[in-house]
Each structure stands twice: as C-alpha cells, then as structure tokens.
Amino acid sequence: MIDNKMLPLFLAPFLVAAPAHSETYPEFLAGLKQEAKSIVGMNDEALNSAFSQIKLFKKASAGGAPQAQPEKLDDYFPFRVPESLVEQAREQFKLHHESLLQIEKQFGVQPRFVVALWGLRSEFGNRSAGYPALTVNASLAYDGDDKAFHREQVLAGLKALARDGLAFDAFTANTKGLLGQTAFSAADYLAYATDGDGDGKKDIWQNTTDVFASIATLLVKNGWQAEATWGRQVRVPDGLDANLVGLTHSESFAQWQKLGVRRYDGTDLPDRADMQVSLIMPEGAKGRQYLVYENYRVLSKLFASDFEALAVTYLSERIKYPPIE
C-alpha cells in the first residue's frame, strides 16, 4: 500500500478521496421507510416486516460499463439475436402455440411478437434470477448509478406486495432489480402484470400464461394495433430530403412512392390510403432503411435505440419465416 504522505506534493491535486455516503444504509432505509408510510398503503406491521428483510445486496448491479455493440445492423442482428436464440424462439412458439393463440384472441397481440419480447428480455426465463427485488433495488437506490429510479422501484415494489398479497421472498429479481421472465421493473409490474389463466395470481416468474398476458398487456397499453405489423425494409433513392427521415415525420404510402421509395425487392409499396408511415435509417443513408408503422412506434417506446427495437422485429420475422409446422 502506498502511503499518501510519501507522495510528492505535485501529485496531491490528483488524489481523489473515495466517495462517502452522507448516511449509513440503515439510516437510508429508515428514511425510505418513513417515505413509504405515506404513499404505499401498507399497515405498520407489514411495512416493518418488509423492511426488516431488506439487506445490503453486494451483487446488485446497474450494469457497469456497457458492452461494445456492433455499429452495423448486419453485425448487430447476429450479435443480439444469435441462431441459438432463434432456434429457442421457434421451439417455444411451437411448444406454447395453443396458449399463445388464446393470448392473441384475448389481447390482440400476435404470438410471434410476444415470443420475441420474451426471448430478448429474459431468454425465455433463463436470465431471470431469484434475488429479493426490494433488497436489490434498495441497494441500488443507496449505491447505484440511478438512485432516484431504484428508490421509486422500492416504493413500487412495496405497493405490489400490498396490492397482490405477495410474500417478500416471492417478489424476486435479477441483479439489476428486474422481475421475472418479463424483466419488468417494479413499476412495470404494477402497470402491466396480468393474470392470464384466471387463477387470481399475476405470476411473471413461473406461469408462462401470465408471462404472455403481461407482455401482451405491455404492448396493448402502449398502443399496439392487433391487425397491423411493424413495418418493412425498403430502398430509398439517393438524395432524399433528410428532414423526411425519423419517427416525427409521416407520409402515406402513395407519397413515399412518389418520392421514389420502393419495397426492398424493388416493387411498388402497398396500395393503402389508410396508413401514415415513417422512414427510419438507423445506420444513416448508406445503411438499412425501413418504413415503420404504429406498432414500431410502440416498440420504440420500450427500447433505448432503433437497433434494440429492430432486434425484436428481426426475431419476430425469424419466428414467422419459414412457417413452423
């Protein structure tokens, strides 16, 4: 160990003291508990019981440095949606086909999109974990990168326990505080968790029907259209006005046709006058180009980038083609 007293004086300005918390973890929890009393709706006994079980979870992780990702979609798709994931998705689609058809009938969300989201969020439950969600989120609220967000997730989690009668140990998450096979935040759980099979529970951890219903509810509540798809890859002529690109601008198919946009195979765009669609170029003018519809806008609300949203559409297309017998 280097003794700071022995370092040359000119190095002193470069020494940075380790950040110190203004309060201990028990003090932090006491303040959080006081805040929860006024907004969660738990009685004192239940609240005391919950907070007595919240510990400091050293494995909690906000994610660390992001993994470097390919900058081209042709490289990103196999990186984010490897063939192994495609094969699993098609197997899960076939295995749960009847249940997925019931979900489609009830919610109006096509099965391939439910399975695609399930696969990308938790690898069909293989990336979910069994750590106490309140402990993980409280630890990240105390010592994470987004303290305010995780503080809200603790309060949302307490509301979920009170609303649904869940046991502390049953409300589990991964090391980022995301719940079950849907990888919902606690606030997402409150908003979207759904009882898919009518047993009175919203089990996004073990019950695949509830998982499917919850994913479908997530999409529907964000504007999913039952009779529509997401979009299509197209070809765009050189020199198209850059102001026309992006989700903030929409045109009819006929107008895009006049501007020289065509299907990827060079044929005419659909002859439909009932849709306003947008052109996106996630890689710039020299990369892949797409006309996207309202359902893509829904996906864009749920993901941080076009690359991530397009990974869902890519996996959904790989589930659809070739047809599963």
Side-chain angles (χ1 to χ4, degrees), residues 211-247:
V211 170
F212 300 156
S214 299
I215 291 173
T217 299
L218 168 71
L219 292 172
V220 169
K221 286 192 173 182
N222 279 283
W224 192 265
Q225 296 182 352
E227 302 301 323
T229 185
W230 64 273
R232 66 178 65 245
Q233 190 174 359
V234 294
R235 293 186 183 276
V236 176
D238 293 338
L240 186 76
D241 186 352
N243 292 320
L244 302 178
V245 179
L247 292 178

mmCIF file of all heavy atoms in Angstrom, residues 211-247:
data_model
loop_
_atom_site.group_PDB
_atom_site.id
_atom_site.type_symbol
_atom_site.label_atom_id
_atom_site.label_comp_id
_atom_site.label_asym_id
_atom_site.label_seq_id
_atom_site.Cartn_x
_atom_site.Cartn_y
_atom_site.Cartn_z
ATOM 1 N N VAL A 211 -46.967 -14.739 -18.019
ATOM 2 C CA VAL A 211 -45.869 -14.035 -18.696
ATOM 3 C C VAL A 211 -46.350 -13.504 -20.041
ATOM 4 O O VAL A 211 -46.150 -12.330 -20.377
ATOM 5 C CB VAL A 211 -44.649 -14.965 -18.887
ATOM 6 C CG1 VAL A 211 -43.611 -14.320 -19.809
ATOM 7 C CG2 VAL A 211 -44.021 -15.297 -17.540
ATOM 8 N N PHE A 212 -47.015 -14.370 -20.831
ATOM 9 C CA PHE A 212 -47.504 -13.958 -22.147
ATOM 10 C C PHE A 212 -48.543 -12.842 -22.014
ATOM 11 O O PHE A 212 -48.511 -11.861 -22.771
ATOM 12 C CB PHE A 212 -48.126 -15.147 -22.881
ATOM 13 C CG PHE A 212 -47.189 -16.298 -23.113
ATOM 14 C CD1 PHE A 212 -47.693 -17.586 -23.298
ATOM 15 C CD2 PHE A 212 -45.814 -16.115 -23.143
ATOM 16 C CE1 PHE A 212 -46.835 -18.652 -23.513
ATOM 17 C CE2 PHE A 212 -44.946 -17.183 -23.359
ATOM 18 C CZ PHE A 212 -45.468 -18.460 -23.542
ATOM 19 N N ALA A 213 -49.464 -12.992 -21.080
ATOM 20 C CA ALA A 213 -50.510 -11.986 -20.897
ATOM 21 C C ALA A 213 -49.910 -10.651 -20.457
ATOM 22 O O ALA A 213 -50.382 -9.581 -20.876
ATOM 23 C CB ALA A 213 -51.525 -12.464 -19.865
ATOM 24 N N SER A 214 -48.879 -10.697 -19.650
ATOM 25 C CA SER A 214 -48.251 -9.465 -19.162
ATOM 26 C C SER A 214 -47.497 -8.754 -20.279
ATOM 27 O O SER A 214 -47.543 -7.520 -20.389
ATOM 28 C CB SER A 214 -47.313 -9.786 -17.990
ATOM 29 O OG SER A 214 -48.030 -10.358 -16.915
ATOM 30 N N ILE A 215 -46.794 -9.525 -21.118
ATOM 31 C CA ILE A 215 -46.114 -8.921 -22.265
ATOM 32 C C ILE A 215 -47.131 -8.322 -23.229
ATOM 33 O O ILE A 215 -46.950 -7.203 -23.749
ATOM 34 C CB ILE A 215 -45.227 -9.958 -22.975
ATOM 35 C CG1 ILE A 215 -44.041 -10.326 -22.083
ATOM 36 C CG2 ILE A 215 -44.734 -9.427 -24.321
ATOM 37 C CD1 ILE A 215 -43.201 -11.470 -22.617
ATOM 38 N N ALA A 216 -48.229 -9.044 -23.466
ATOM 39 C CA ALA A 216 -49.284 -8.528 -24.340
ATOM 40 C C ALA A 216 -49.890 -7.254 -23.767
ATOM 41 O O ALA A 216 -50.143 -6.292 -24.503
ATOM 42 C CB ALA A 216 -50.360 -9.592 -24.530
ATOM 43 N N THR A 217 -50.109 -7.220 -22.460
ATOM 44 C CA THR A 217 -50.660 -6.020 -21.816
ATOM 45 C C THR A 217 -49.699 -4.841 -21.963
ATOM 46 O O THR A 217 -50.114 -3.705 -22.214
ATOM 47 C CB THR A 217 -50.932 -6.295 -20.333
ATOM 48 O OG1 THR A 217 -51.893 -7.349 -20.219
ATOM 49 C CG2 THR A 217 -51.477 -5.054 -19.630
ATOM 50 N N LEU A 218 -48.404 -5.100 -21.796
ATOM 51 C CA LEU A 218 -47.392 -4.060 -22.002
ATOM 52 C C LEU A 218 -47.535 -3.435 -23.375
ATOM 53 O O LEU A 218 -47.529 -2.201 -23.526
ATOM 54 C CB LEU A 218 -46.001 -4.680 -21.837
ATOM 55 C CG LEU A 218 -44.798 -3.855 -22.289
ATOM 56 C CD1 LEU A 218 -44.563 -2.692 -21.346
ATOM 57 C CD2 LEU A 218 -43.539 -4.735 -22.380
ATOM 58 N N LEU A 219 -47.683 -4.268 -24.396
ATOM 59 C CA LEU A 219 -47.790 -3.765 -25.765
ATOM 60 C C LEU A 219 -49.111 -3.032 -25.986
ATOM 61 O O LEU A 219 -49.134 -1.929 -26.538
ATOM 62 C CB LEU A 219 -47.638 -4.922 -26.756
ATOM 63 C CG LEU A 219 -46.249 -5.572 -26.815
ATOM 64 C CD1 LEU A 219 -46.272 -6.827 -27.674
ATOM 65 C CD2 LEU A 219 -45.210 -4.590 -27.339
ATOM 66 N N VAL A 220 -50.199 -3.627 -25.545
ATOM 67 C CA VAL A 220 -51.523 -3.034 -25.779
ATOM 68 C C VAL A 220 -51.652 -1.676 -25.087
ATOM 69 O O VAL A 220 -52.157 -0.710 -25.679
ATOM 70 C CB VAL A 220 -52.628 -3.995 -25.300
ATOM 71 C CG1 VAL A 220 -53.989 -3.295 -25.284
ATOM 72 C CG2 VAL A 220 -52.689 -5.216 -26.205
ATOM 73 N N LYS A 221 -51.190 -1.590 -23.860
ATOM 74 C CA LYS A 221 -51.319 -0.328 -23.129
ATOM 75 C C LYS A 221 -50.433 0.768 -23.707
ATOM 76 O O LYS A 221 -50.623 1.949 -23.405
ATOM 77 C CB LYS A 221 -51.013 -0.534 -21.647
ATOM 78 C CG LYS A 221 -52.120 -1.259 -20.895
ATOM 79 C CD LYS A 221 -51.925 -1.184 -19.394
ATOM 80 C CE LYS A 221 -53.115 -1.757 -18.641
ATOM 81 N NZ LYS A 221 -52.949 -1.655 -17.171
ATOM 82 N N ASN A 222 -49.470 0.380 -24.526
ATOM 83 C CA ASN A 222 -48.625 1.377 -25.196
ATOM 84 C C ASN A 222 -49.055 1.635 -26.630
ATOM 85 O O ASN A 222 -48.371 2.344 -27.368
ATOM 86 C CB ASN A 222 -47.165 0.945 -25.141
ATOM 87 C CG ASN A 222 -46.515 1.266 -23.805
ATOM 88 O OD1 ASN A 222 -46.162 2.410 -23.535
ATOM 89 N ND2 ASN A 222 -46.402 0.260 -22.948
ATOM 90 N N GLY A 223 -50.217 1.050 -27.041
ATOM 91 C CA GLY A 223 -50.804 1.411 -28.326
ATOM 92 C C GLY A 223 -50.732 0.367 -29.422
ATOM 93 O O GLY A 223 -50.979 0.683 -30.588
ATOM 94 N N TRP A 224 -50.443 -0.890 -29.089
ATOM 95 C CA TRP A 224 -50.296 -1.934 -30.103
ATOM 96 C C TRP A 224 -51.588 -2.116 -30.904
ATOM 97 O O TRP A 224 -52.681 -2.112 -30.338
ATOM 98 C CB TRP A 224 -49.919 -3.255 -29.454
ATOM 99 C CG TRP A 224 -49.469 -4.302 -30.422
ATOM 100 C CD1 TRP A 224 -50.226 -5.285 -30.985
ATOM 101 C CD2 TRP A 224 -48.142 -4.471 -30.945
ATOM 102 N NE1 TRP A 224 -49.461 -6.063 -31.827
ATOM 103 C CE2 TRP A 224 -48.174 -5.587 -31.819
ATOM 104 C CE3 TRP A 224 -46.940 -3.794 -30.763
ATOM 105 C CZ2 TRP A 224 -47.043 -6.032 -32.499
ATOM 106 C CZ3 TRP A 224 -45.819 -4.242 -31.438
ATOM 107 C CH2 TRP A 224 -45.865 -5.347 -32.290
ATOM 108 N N GLN A 225 -51.448 -2.290 -32.210
ATOM 109 C CA GLN A 225 -52.592 -2.491 -33.097
ATOM 110 C C GLN A 225 -52.661 -3.952 -33.524
ATOM 111 O O GLN A 225 -51.715 -4.493 -34.104
ATOM 112 C CB GLN A 225 -52.488 -1.584 -34.322
ATOM 113 C CG GLN A 225 -52.540 -0.104 -33.972
ATOM 114 C CD GLN A 225 -52.484 0.799 -35.189
ATOM 115 O OE1 GLN A 225 -52.265 0.324 -36.306
ATOM 116 N NE2 GLN A 225 -52.678 2.087 -34.986
ATOM 117 N N ALA A 226 -53.812 -4.569 -33.243
ATOM 118 C CA ALA A 226 -53.956 -6.008 -33.425
ATOM 119 C C ALA A 226 -53.836 -6.452 -34.875
ATOM 120 O O ALA A 226 -53.313 -7.531 -35.160
ATOM 121 C CB ALA A 226 -55.298 -6.466 -32.852
ATOM 122 N N GLU A 227 -54.326 -5.669 -35.804
ATOM 123 C CA GLU A 227 -54.385 -6.108 -37.199
ATOM 124 C C GLU A 227 -53.198 -5.621 -38.026
ATOM 125 O O GLU A 227 -53.208 -5.750 -39.252
ATOM 126 C CB GLU A 227 -55.684 -5.604 -37.842
ATOM 127 C CG GLU A 227 -56.952 -6.054 -37.137
ATOM 128 C CD GLU A 227 -57.063 -7.578 -37.071
ATOM 129 O OE1 GLU A 227 -56.662 -8.231 -38.060
ATOM 130 O OE2 GLU A 227 -57.548 -8.096 -36.058
ATOM 131 N N ALA A 228 -52.195 -5.088 -37.384
ATOM 132 C CA ALA A 228 -51.072 -4.490 -38.121
ATOM 133 C C ALA A 228 -49.770 -5.197 -37.781
ATOM 134 O O ALA A 228 -49.660 -5.904 -36.783
ATOM 135 C CB ALA A 228 -50.963 -3.006 -37.803
ATOM 136 N N THR A 229 -48.778 -5.002 -38.623
ATOM 137 C CA THR A 229 -47.441 -5.486 -38.327
ATOM 138 C C THR A 229 -46.570 -4.291 -37.918
ATOM 139 O O THR A 229 -47.089 -3.249 -37.503
ATOM 140 C CB THR A 229 -46.855 -6.263 -39.529
ATOM 141 O OG1 THR A 229 -45.591 -6.808 -39.143
ATOM 142 C CG2 THR A 229 -46.717 -5.393 -40.765
ATOM 143 N N TRP A 230 -45.275 -4.383 -38.061
ATOM 144 C CA TRP A 230 -44.376 -3.354 -37.548
ATOM 145 C C TRP A 230 -43.829 -2.437 -38.635
ATOM 146 O O TRP A 230 -43.537 -1.273 -38.396
ATOM 147 C CB TRP A 230 -43.200 -4.002 -36.809
ATOM 148 C CG TRP A 230 -42.326 -4.829 -37.701
ATOM 149 C CD1 TRP A 230 -42.502 -6.143 -38.027
ATOM 150 C CD2 TRP A 230 -41.170 -4.387 -38.436
ATOM 151 N NE1 TRP A 230 -41.515 -6.566 -38.903
ATOM 152 C CE2 TRP A 230 -40.688 -5.502 -39.163
ATOM 153 C CE3 TRP A 230 -40.498 -3.169 -38.536
ATOM 154 C CZ2 TRP A 230 -39.568 -5.436 -39.983
ATOM 155 C CZ3 TRP A 230 -39.384 -3.093 -39.349
ATOM 156 C CH2 TRP A 230 -38.919 -4.222 -40.056
ATOM 157 N N GLY A 231 -43.633 -2.985 -39.874
ATOM 158 C CA GLY A 231 -43.020 -2.190 -40.933
ATOM 159 C C GLY A 231 -42.368 -3.101 -41.959
ATOM 160 O O GLY A 231 -42.638 -4.299 -42.009
ATOM 161 N N ARG A 232 -41.481 -2.531 -42.754
ATOM 162 C CA ARG A 232 -40.806 -3.307 -43.800
ATOM 163 C C ARG A 232 -39.508 -2.618 -44.206
ATOM 164 O O ARG A 232 -39.381 -1.383 -44.114
ATOM 165 C CB ARG A 232 -41.700 -3.466 -45.020
ATOM 166 C CG ARG A 232 -42.000 -2.170 -45.754
ATOM 167 C CD ARG A 232 -42.863 -2.390 -46.991
ATOM 168 N NE ARG A 232 -44.197 -2.880 -46.652
ATOM 169 C CZ ARG A 232 -44.660 -4.078 -46.994
ATOM 170 N NH1 ARG A 232 -43.910 -4.915 -47.673
ATOM 171 N NH2 ARG A 232 -45.872 -4.448 -46.670
ATOM 172 N N GLN A 233 -38.549 -3.424 -44.639
ATOM 173 C CA GLN A 233 -37.318 -2.855 -45.189
ATOM 174 C C GLN A 233 -37.595 -2.353 -46.599
ATOM 175 O O GLN A 233 -38.350 -2.974 -47.357
ATOM 176 C CB GLN A 233 -36.202 -3.890 -45.212
ATOM 177 C CG GLN A 233 -34.836 -3.300 -45.540
ATOM 178 C CD GLN A 233 -33.708 -4.320 -45.425
ATOM 179 O OE1 GLN A 233 -33.937 -5.472 -45.072
ATOM 180 N NE2 GLN A 233 -32.491 -3.891 -45.731
ATOM 181 N N VAL A 234 -37.026 -1.205 -46.943
ATOM 182 C CA VAL A 234 -37.285 -0.589 -48.252
ATOM 183 C C VAL A 234 -35.977 -0.116 -48.874
ATOM 184 O O VAL A 234 -34.912 -0.172 -48.259
ATOM 185 C CB VAL A 234 -38.255 0.611 -48.110
ATOM 186 C CG1 VAL A 234 -39.634 0.147 -47.667
ATOM 187 C CG2 VAL A 234 -37.683 1.675 -47.152
ATOM 188 N N ARG A 235 -36.109 0.356 -50.118
ATOM 189 C CA ARG A 235 -34.998 1.011 -50.817
ATOM 190 C C ARG A 235 -35.357 2.476 -51.023
ATOM 191 O O ARG A 235 -36.485 2.798 -51.412
ATOM 192 C CB ARG A 235 -34.739 0.341 -52.167
ATOM 193 C CG ARG A 235 -34.226 -1.084 -52.060
ATOM 194 C CD ARG A 235 -33.861 -1.639 -53.433
ATOM 195 N NE ARG A 235 -33.439 -3.029 -53.367
ATOM 196 C CZ ARG A 235 -32.212 -3.429 -53.073
ATOM 197 N NH1 ARG A 235 -31.269 -2.522 -52.824
ATOM 198 N NH2 ARG A 235 -31.916 -4.715 -53.040
ATOM 199 N N VAL A 236 -34.407 3.345 -50.757
ATOM 200 C CA VAL A 236 -34.636 4.785 -50.812
ATOM 201 C C VAL A 236 -33.688 5.403 -51.833
ATOM 202 O O VAL A 236 -32.492 5.071 -51.848
ATOM 203 C CB VAL A 236 -34.414 5.420 -49.422
ATOM 204 C CG1 VAL A 236 -34.547 6.934 -49.483
ATOM 205 C CG2 VAL A 236 -35.403 4.839 -48.410
ATOM 206 N N PRO A 237 -34.175 6.280 -52.694
ATOM 207 C CA PRO A 237 -33.290 6.883 -53.699
ATOM 208 C C PRO A 237 -32.268 7.814 -53.055
ATOM 209 O O PRO A 237 -32.513 8.386 -51.988
ATOM 210 C CB PRO A 237 -34.261 7.664 -54.595
ATOM 211 C CG PRO A 237 -35.415 7.975 -53.710
ATOM 212 C CD PRO A 237 -35.565 6.789 -52.806
ATOM 213 N N ASP A 238 -31.128 7.953 -53.708
ATOM 214 C CA ASP A 238 -30.117 8.892 -53.222
ATOM 215 C C ASP A 238 -30.688 10.308 -53.236
ATOM 216 O O ASP A 238 -31.488 10.668 -54.097
ATOM 217 C CB ASP A 238 -28.880 8.839 -54.112
ATOM 218 C CG ASP A 238 -28.144 7.509 -53.999
ATOM 219 O OD1 ASP A 238 -28.333 6.820 -52.968
ATOM 220 O OD2 ASP A 238 -27.409 7.164 -54.940
ATOM 221 N N GLY A 239 -30.265 11.093 -52.267
ATOM 222 C CA GLY A 239 -30.631 12.496 -52.254
ATOM 223 C C GLY A 239 -31.972 12.806 -51.630
ATOM 224 O O GLY A 239 -32.441 13.954 -51.699
ATOM 225 N N LEU A 240 -32.615 11.826 -50.996
ATOM 226 C CA LEU A 240 -33.887 12.099 -50.330
ATOM 227 C C LEU A 240 -33.671 13.113 -49.214
ATOM 228 O O LEU A 240 -32.685 13.040 -48.480
ATOM 229 C CB LEU A 240 -34.475 10.806 -49.764
ATOM 230 C CG LEU A 240 -35.880 10.932 -49.174
ATOM 231 C CD1 LEU A 240 -36.916 11.010 -50.295
ATOM 232 C CD2 LEU A 240 -36.190 9.753 -48.257
ATOM 233 N N ASP A 241 -34.588 14.051 -49.094
ATOM 234 C CA ASP A 241 -34.515 15.098 -48.077
ATOM 235 C C ASP A 241 -34.378 14.470 -46.687
ATOM 236 O O ASP A 241 -35.245 13.703 -46.248
ATOM 237 C CB ASP A 241 -35.773 15.959 -48.151
ATOM 238 C CG ASP A 241 -35.724 17.161 -47.224
ATOM 239 O OD1 ASP A 241 -34.785 17.255 -46.398
ATOM 240 O OD2 ASP A 241 -36.633 18.009 -47.315
ATOM 241 N N ALA A 242 -33.306 14.794 -45.992
ATOM 242 C CA ALA A 242 -33.056 14.221 -44.670
ATOM 243 C C ALA A 242 -34.121 14.617 -43.658
ATOM 244 O O ALA A 242 -34.323 13.925 -42.649
ATOM 245 C CB ALA A 242 -31.674 14.651 -44.162
ATOM 246 N N ASN A 243 -34.822 15.724 -43.898
ATOM 247 C CA ASN A 243 -35.873 16.165 -42.975
ATOM 248 C C ASN A 243 -37.076 15.221 -42.972
ATOM 249 O O ASN A 243 -37.933 15.302 -42.087
ATOM 250 C CB ASN A 243 -36.344 17.574 -43.337
ATOM 251 C CG ASN A 243 -35.275 18.613 -43.095
ATOM 252 O OD1 ASN A 243 -34.548 18.552 -42.095
ATOM 253 N ND2 ASN A 243 -35.146 19.564 -44.009
ATOM 254 N N LEU A 244 -37.153 14.332 -43.965
ATOM 255 C CA LEU A 244 -38.263 13.392 -44.043
ATOM 256 C C LEU A 244 -37.992 12.118 -43.238
ATOM 257 O O LEU A 244 -38.890 11.286 -43.096
ATOM 258 C CB LEU A 244 -38.525 13.009 -45.502
ATOM 259 C CG LEU A 244 -38.842 14.153 -46.467
ATOM 260 C CD1 LEU A 244 -39.038 13.607 -47.880
ATOM 261 C CD2 LEU A 244 -40.090 14.899 -46.008
ATOM 262 N N VAL A 245 -36.783 11.977 -42.730
ATOM 263 C CA VAL A 245 -36.380 10.755 -42.031
ATOM 264 C C VAL A 245 -36.631 10.901 -40.533
ATOM 265 O O VAL A 245 -36.299 11.919 -39.928
ATOM 266 C CB VAL A 245 -34.898 10.448 -42.290
ATOM 267 C CG1 VAL A 245 -34.474 9.181 -41.549
ATOM 268 C CG2 VAL A 245 -34.638 10.312 -43.789
ATOM 269 N N GLY A 246 -37.213 9.868 -39.935
ATOM 270 C CA GLY A 246 -37.427 9.859 -38.485
ATOM 271 C C GLY A 246 -38.881 9.664 -38.107
ATOM 272 O O GLY A 246 -39.794 9.898 -38.916
ATOM 273 N N LEU A 247 -39.106 9.268 -36.871
ATOM 274 C CA LEU A 247 -40.458 8.967 -36.415
ATOM 275 C C LEU A 247 -41.323 10.205 -36.259
ATOM 276 O O LEU A 247 -42.549 10.093 -36.135
ATOM 277 C CB LEU A 247 -40.387 8.220 -35.069
ATOM 278 C CG LEU A 247 -39.798 6.810 -35.109
ATOM 279 C CD1 LEU A 247 -39.745 6.215 -33.705
ATOM 280 C CD2 LEU A 247 -40.600 5.911 -36.040
#
